[in-house]
Amino acid sequence: VSLTVTQLRDASADVAKRASDMRDVQDNILAVERDVEGSNLPEKLKAELVQKIDIVANTVGNVANQQQVLAKHLSDARAKAQAVKDGIAEAKGSIGGVKDSYNATLKQQISDLSDAVADVARRGSDMADDLGATVTDLSHAASALSDDLAGAHEVLAGASA
């Protein structure tokens, strides 16, 4: 993009210079026309020459106008190309900033969160294992209690008979 910006700037300046040169040529042609008008040439010849000189002067003036318009368009294009270049540079800076921010903070926060989730999952699994063991122990205790109660019931039933 920078090469294009430079090329557009140079082309705009070159075309503007050519337009200025064409204006100088037009001024010289108009000076010749004034000389012809002030000359001692026959009137009919003077009129024909002035008419032809006017055509040439107008043509040169039109070319100068077109060159000025072209120079303006090139200048506008250069400004737009520069704006694009600036936008690209700004976008690169923003992307770099986002990357740096991610690497500096978010990446570590994601890692910490991942570790915390893994820790919670591990603790949950440990708690489930502990609860499973407790349920098994309670089941064994309930079974033993049932056996003890059955035995006590037999003793009491045998004692009352």
Side-chain angles (χ1 to χ4, degrees):
V1 173
S2 63
L3 181 61
T4 303
V5 171
T6 301
Q7 288 173 329
L8 287 170
R9 183 192 65 231
D10 293 347
S12 176
D14 184 48
V15 171
K17 171 74 171 102
R18 288 181 187 174
S20 177
D21 291 347
M22 291 301 277
R23 288 284 175 223
D24 291 342
V25 169
Q26 184 183 27
D27 289 344
N28 290 337
I29 293 169
L30 291 173
V32 169
E33 181 181 357
R34 285 189 298 275
D35 289 345
V36 168
E37 287 174 339
S39 72
N40 293 330
L41 294 171
E43 290 302 316
K44 184 175 179 181
L45 180 59
K46 263 199 251 186
E48 285 180 30
L49 285 173
V50 166
Q51 182 183 20
K52 291 183 186 212
I53 292 171
D54 275 344
I55 291 170
V56 171
N58 287 337
T59 301
V60 170
N62 288 339
V63 169
N65 290 341
Q66 290 171 354
Q67 287 178 328
Q68 286 175 322
V69 169
L70 178 59
K72 172 74 170 107
H73 288 309
L74 288 170
S75 179
D76 292 348
R78 185 212 51 84
K80 288 177 184 176
Q82 184 63 50
V84 168
K85 179 182 173 187
D86 293 346
I88 289 170
E90 184 178 332
K92 283 181 181 177
S94 294
I95 290 169
V98 168
K99 180 182 173 194
D100 292 345
S101 177
Y102 170 79
N103 286 332
T105 57
L106 193 57
K107 186 176 180 180
Q108 185 59 47
Q109 290 173 349
I110 290 171
S111 177
D112 292 347
L113 180 60
S114 176
D115 292 346
V117 168
D119 187 50
V120 166
R122 183 183 42 76
R123 286 183 187 181
S125 177
D126 290 348
M127 288 167 86
D129 290 344
D130 289 347
L131 283 173
T134 301
V135 167
T136 300
D137 290 346
L138 283 173
S139 176
H140 291 309
S143 180
L145 180 61
S146 176
D147 289 345
D148 288 346
L149 288 174
H153 183 280
E154 284 180 21
V155 169
L156 286 174
S160 58

